[in-house]
Each structure stands twice: as structure tokens, then as C-alpha cells.
Amino acid sequence: DTAVSQTPKYLVTQMGNDKSIKCEQNLGHDTMYWYKQDSKKFLKIMFSYNNKELIINETVPNRFSPKSPDKAHLNLHINSLELGDSAVYFCASSQGGTGFLYEQYFGPGTRLTVT
Amino acid sequence: AQSVTQPDIHITVSEGASLELRCNYSYGATPYLFWYVQSPGQGLQLLLKYFSGDTLVQGIKGFEAEFKRSQSSFNLRKPSVHWSDAAEYFCAVGYTGGFKTIFGAGTRLFVKA
């Protein structure tokens, strides 16, 4: 069983389009995250949700909107895509509200390419 | 400001040789320290973590790391590298003030036969 899954794995789209990435975890964790990994492999937190409530928003443009319908899902919707949005996006989850202090489980990533 | 530095962008090691990956952190409080590994095309996987206690921690896949408070370091080691260890390695610190984990820029490990 996949612990943290993301769909799609690859996403190629044109500038200006709107796209979504879905994430699901079956670990029973309370906290979920979105990370962006750029071309230099630098990994940066974008959002963090605990029990469906937003707890971190790291100065991400308003074009990015996370949605957590339940604590097992955290989706990322991106409006008006720009070239600079091209990256690999990772979903992760951890147990508890202070999960950032403990192990995070990562999904396989979604490679977004904006042309 | 809190930060994690991995001085080596990439390292090449011969198979069977020992490995040490360096990590330095800047953090005022007691650090929660991690090493993650990312194989090509995969997500990150936790190798080991340090919260308190014994400063030498053992992880999966034969890795270990030593916390040295005086040097603000948490270096990762393995006595004998296997070709399957070729991957990207990330050091990270749990930042209680920001409710988040801060990752270093990563070190890419190449293993030559």
C-alpha cells in the first residue's frame, strides 16, 4: 500500500492555465504539507495543514491555493501558471501538530513543467 | 536566522569506501535533526533523526550520524558505500519557532565502481 500518493506524476501545461495536484495519505496522520523542489534540488515548505486547518503559508503567491477536504487529503490548485512554477512538488505527512519535529513521509512527487 | 548548510554539492566515492556527508545548522534552541535520502525520481525517505540522548544515532541502510553541539554539526557516515547508495542526501532541522522543517540544499552522492 502506498503511504502518500500524488497524482499526476507528471504535468505539462502552458502558461496561464489552471491545474491541480492531488495528495492522499493512508497513514492516519494529522498533518500534511506541500513542498516545492526547484531545479537545484532545493526543498522549500509551501503549506502545512493540521486537521484540515492551515498552519503554515510560506509567502506563496495567491495563485497557489491548498484545499484539505479531510485530514487524509491535501490538494494543491494553481491558477494562471507561470514559467517559474516549473518544479517538482512533494506532498508529505506526519503525525501530530508538531509533526515537523518528527518523521515526515513524502509522496513520489509531481513534476510540473510550464511551457 | 535558522539555516542548514551542506557544504558539499556533490561527492564521489568508490564502492566499498567510507562516506561522510557534512551538515551544519544554525539554530538557537535544542535542534531536532534529520537526514533524508532521495533516490532519483522518488520522494524523500528518513534515514535517521536526533532529538536528545546519545549523540551517535543509528539509522537505516547502515547509516549513522553524530551530533556535535560545539560544532553545530550533524554529519552522516557510512563505513562502506554500496552502489545503491547513490542518491541525493538532505540534512534538515525541525524549527519549533516556525512550525516547520528547514532542509539543506542537499548533497548528491555518486558511487563509482
Side-chain angles (χ1 to χ4, degrees), chain A residues 9 33 35 37 40-43 45 48 55-56 58 90 97-109, chain B residues 32 34 36 38 41-46 49 51 88 90 93-101 103-105 108:
Chain A
K9 190 168 176 63
Y33 313 80
Y35 286 88
Q37 186 176 49
K40 295 185 178 179
K41 299 288 186 178
F42 186 65
L43 196 66
I45 182 81
S48 171
I55 56 174
I56 292 176
E58 281 288 299
F90 286 100
T98 53
F100 60 93
L101 297 179
Y102 301 97
E103 178 173 3
Q104 293 179 48
Y105 292 78
F106 284 78
Chain B
Y32 290 70
F34 310 86
Y36 284 85
Q38 182 182 22
Q42 303 294 317
L44 280 70
Q45 179 186 21
L46 182 72
K49 58 193 176 191
F51 299 152
E88 191 89 22
F90 293 92
V93 60
Y95 171 33
T96 55
F99 295 92
K100 61 186 177 182
T101 304
F103 287 83
R108 180 71 186 272

Side-chain angles (χ1 to χ4, degrees), chain A residues 43-54:
Chain A
L43 196 66
K44 188 160 190 243
I45 182 81
M46 299 174 67
F47 300 103
S48 171
Y49 270 73
N50 177 251
N51 280 322
K52 302 193 298 176
E53 290 194 16
L54 180 68

Side-chain angles (χ1 to χ4, degrees), chain B residues 50-72:
Chain B
Y50 171 79
F51 299 152
S52 64
D54 192 345
T55 57
L56 184 63
V57 293
Q58 303 297 319
I60 62 171
K61 305 186 181 186
F63 285 92
E64 66 178 27
E66 186 171 13
F67 169 59
K68 293 185 177 180
R69 185 184 296 276
S70 61
Q71 298 177 19
S72 296

